[in-house]
Each structure stands twice: as C-alpha cells, then as structure tokens.
Amino acid sequence: MAAKRVYVLFRMAIFSAVLLVCFSLLAGAQSAAVTPNPTEQLRDLLQKSRAEIKEFESAAKARPKDAIPPDNDPRLKWSKVLWEFREHHLNTPEAATATAESLRYQVQAGQFAEALSRVDSLSPDDTAWGDLLIVLRDAAERKGDDAIFLSRARALLARTDDKPLRARIQYNIGRVHQLAGRDGEAIAAFQAAVAEGDKLEYAKVASGRIYDLTKLRIGQPAPDFSVTALSGKTISLASLRGHTAVFVYWASW
Amino acid sequence: MKSKYESKGLVLIGVPADSEVSKLREAITRLAISWDQAFDPQGDSGALWKLFNMDDLPNFVVVDREGKLAAKGVQADKLAPLLEKLIGM
C-alpha cells in the first residue's frame, strides 16, 4: 500500500518535472521569437507612438477651445522611450533615427530647453546629426528665433569634417535664410553646400535652390527655352511674347 | 477655363510627366484637352521640368506678356485670380 503511494508520488514528480521542462522550453522559444531585431523593434515603437499621438490629437480637436490642454501629451512618454532605445543601441543607424524622433517629439510637446540641452550634449560625430537639423529648424520656427538653429548649425560645421553632413548643414542654413527672405545669405550657404562636393545629395538640392533664387525670380525675365510640342509647333519664350502663358504641369495617370 | 481667357491672349501649354506618347494621346482624347502639349520622352525630367525646377504636379508656371516670370508653383485655386489680374479681366 505504502509502496504504491510512493510509486504514485514518484510518477507525479516525474510528470511534473517533464511538464516543467516542456514549459520552460516553450517559454524560451517564445521569448526568442518575440525579441525582434533593433530595426523591427524601432519600427514597432514608432508605429505605436504615432498611433497614440494621432489619438491624442483627435481628442484634442474635440475639446472646447478654451479648455486647459492636458499634461499627458503622449509625445513626452515616447520621447523618453525612444531616448532609452538610443542609449541601448548607440552608434547604430536605428539609434540615429530614435534620437531624432525622440527630440522631435520633445520639441513638438514644447519642451524646448530639455530638447536643446540634449542636442548640445551630443558629440559632433553622432550619427543622428543629419536628421536632427530639421528638428532644430522646427524648434527655431516654433520659438520664432532662427538663432536656435543657426548657432548650433555653425558650431557643428566648425567641428565636423564629414562632407555629406557639411553639405546637409549648409543646405539647411540656406533654407532658413531663404524662408526668412535673406536671399543673399541663402545663396551663399547653398554655394557652400555645393562646394563640399557637387555629387553629394544635398549639394544637388542646393544647386536647384541656387537656380531658383537666381534664374527663377518672380518679375524677372523667364529663362529662355525652345521645345517642340505634340502638334509639331515650336514653343519658345520668343514665340510666346505678347501672350500670357500658363504651363500646366500634369500627368495622364 | 480655356475659352474664357483665350480671347485675351492666354496660352495654355501642357507639360506632361508622361514618357509614353501613346498613353498621353489617349488621355488627351479622353479628357478632350484642346491645348498643345510640350511632350518630352524624358517625362518629369524633361527640359521644361528642369527649366522651371518643377518636381510636383498638378502645378503651374505663369509667364506674362513680356516674358517675365509671373508665378511659379502656384496652386490651382490661386491661379484664376492671378490670371484675371494679368490679362486685365
């Protein structure tokens, strides 16, 4: 009788042990399956944050205009989450994106001083700089103070030899001047971007802006051209003289 | 829009992003477009796209009677008031 009880207990113990092993194996497999790579992890974080912010925004629109804005802006939470992601994946392309998005959210939520002090703590070789320029421009625009962007852009120029980044900085400096109507300074900055190497991405966009600012000025003679139209007619600036010409940019699709 | 302004010396020139002339001709017939098209097989990298540094559509460039640039990148809703001013309607 006693022997049988011991036997039953023994079988139960074996059974539980087997179960336990099975469960732990399963759990292990599962945790391996749900730990995504940094790219997927970041994509997931960004998607979730955007969805929450969208929801917050539509709730904000529904509130009466004079209501006190809520202090639970999800941007602040996500800004923290993305900054932590950055710290865990330093020097990866994902960290660069996470940094820029984290600070973008902080700026959009109005925490300018906090965002700017984080920007100022970054080393000049941080891979996030390229994407941060537009965040800094956003901060400057929201505060109505170009110097917020310009001072940091110039400081960075003095500290980096990275030509693609230098072209991108100069291009953004040019845009800030252009949008403020300082055409001369804008052209100078765009030319500086081109001088970093005319094959660089931002050098190309900058030369387009120079063309805009020098050859395509409203009220100045249009650039000369001559094209053959579908009808076989030649259309040129001279042939249009005396007519108000409207060029309709379109597509059949 | 065309007939209303044509008599006042307005010229419309289509600058299609199309690079296939057959599809363009089909669309012109389907939409009954009567104005000339500056077709360029290079589509939206063609000469007139580069000339006015354009990269989006639909969009407009306006050159006045004296050959001066009157507007660039003007949106459809702003176009009519501008043209009326230029042709004195």
Side-chain angles (χ1 to χ4, degrees):
Chain A
M1 202 60 197
K4 191 165 184 194
R5 186 173 284 175
V6 169
Y7 177 61
V8 168
L9 278 172
F10 180 65
R11 277 185 59 169
M12 278 176 69
I14 295 283
F15 186 62
S16 331
V18 168
L19 262 181
L20 204 74
V21 169
C22 283
F23 269 118
S24 58
L25 276 176
L26 252 174
Q30 206 169 20
S31 75
V34 296
T35 306
N37 63 45
T39 314
E40 283 168 7
Q41 212 179 333
L42 178 61
R43 189 167 49 212
D44 190 46
L45 291 179
L46 291 175
Q47 270 171 5
K48 279 185 187 151
S49 66
R50 277 168 201 150
E52 261 184 47
I53 291 164
K54 206 173 158 191
E55 204 176 303
F56 175 78
E57 289 286 283
S58 47
K61 266 187 206 140
R63 274 196 326 269
K65 276 208 156 52
D66 51 352
I68 302 154
D71 52 9
N72 59 343
D73 191 332
R75 290 183 185 87
L76 294 175
K77 177 187 92 183
W78 286 106
S79 175
K80 276 197 198 112
V81 171
L82 289 164
W83 191 265
E84 276 161 24
F85 180 97
R86 167 203 156 82
E87 302 281 270
H88 281 108
H89 299 87
L90 279 178
N91 302 318
T92 64
E94 288 82 14
T97 310
T99 307
E101 292 304 309
S102 167
L103 295 175
R104 187 194 312 276
Y105 285 159
Q106 213 170 12
V107 165
Q108 286 172 349
Q111 286 197 346
F112 296 105
E114 294 85 345
L116 292 175
S117 87
R118 281 208 159 143
V119 169
D120 294 338
S121 73
L122 297 175
S123 95
D125 54 7
D126 197 292
T127 47
W129 274 113
D131 294 334
L132 275 177
L133 294 168
I134 197 81
V135 178
L136 281 172
R137 275 177 58 187
D138 185 26
E141 201 184 315
R142 283 164 192 265
K143 294 283 276 179
D145 181 7
D146 284 351
I148 289 177
F149 167 79
L150 290 173
S151 63
R152 289 176 174 84
R154 288 186 188 123
L156 184 60
L157 269 182
R159 294 166 69 198
T160 179
D161 297 325
D162 179 353
K163 281 183 176 293
L165 178 61
R166 291 180 61 84
R168 194 167 176 178
I169 299 168
Q170 294 286 15
Y171 171 76
N172 277 281
I173 292 177
R175 281 298 284 159
V176 166
H177 286 309
Q178 187 183 9
L179 292 169
R182 295 184 294 266
D183 288 359
E185 281 162 284
I187 293 171
F190 291 140
Q191 284 167 340
V194 176
E196 295 294 338
D198 53 11
K199 296 280 184 288
L200 296 170
E201 185 191 351
Y202 281 89
K204 286 185 197 159
V205 214
S207 43
R209 298 284 180 192
I210 295 172
Y211 183 73
D212 259 343
L213 282 165
T214 54
K215 306 277 189 224
L216 298 177
R217 303 193 65 106
I218 304 299
Q220 296 297 306
D224 203 7
F225 69 93
S226 180
V227 294
T228 307
L230 222 47
S231 65
K233 264 195 234 164
T234 300
I235 304 173
S236 66
L237 196 59
S239 78
L240 292 170
R241 201 88 194 193
H243 297 279
T244 302
V246 180
F247 296 85
V248 182
Y249 288 77
W250 71 295
S252 71
W253 53 80
Chain B
M1 185 174 86
K2 188 174 179 269
S3 55
K4 187 177 162 195
Y5 298 118
E6 210 168 32
S7 57
K8 300 277 183 177
L10 190 89
V11 178
L12 291 183
I13 300 147
V15 190
D18 292 67
S19 50
E20 282 177 56
V21 75
S22 57
K23 284 188 183 164
L24 177 65
R25 284 190 195 276
E26 190 269 322
I28 290 168
T29 312
R30 178 165 40 88
L31 300 168
I33 293 173
S34 58
W35 61 85
D36 214 352
Q37 300 290 323
F39 171 74
D40 188 321
Q42 291 195 45
D44 61 7
S45 322
L48 283 178
W49 289 82
K50 283 187 184 149
L51 186 84
F52 290 116
N53 204 8
M54 298 292 279
D55 54 11
D56 58 345
L57 57 96
N59 219 326
F60 304 93
V61 166
V62 183
V63 175
D64 72 11
R65 290 168 182 152
E66 295 162 21
K68 287 178 181 161
L69 191 63
K72 172 182 156 359
V74 57
Q75 292 304 312
D77 56 331
K78 307 261 166 59
L79 185 63
L82 172 79
L83 292 180
E84 289 180 3
K85 203 177 104 191
L86 283 174
I87 62 181
M89 267 182 87

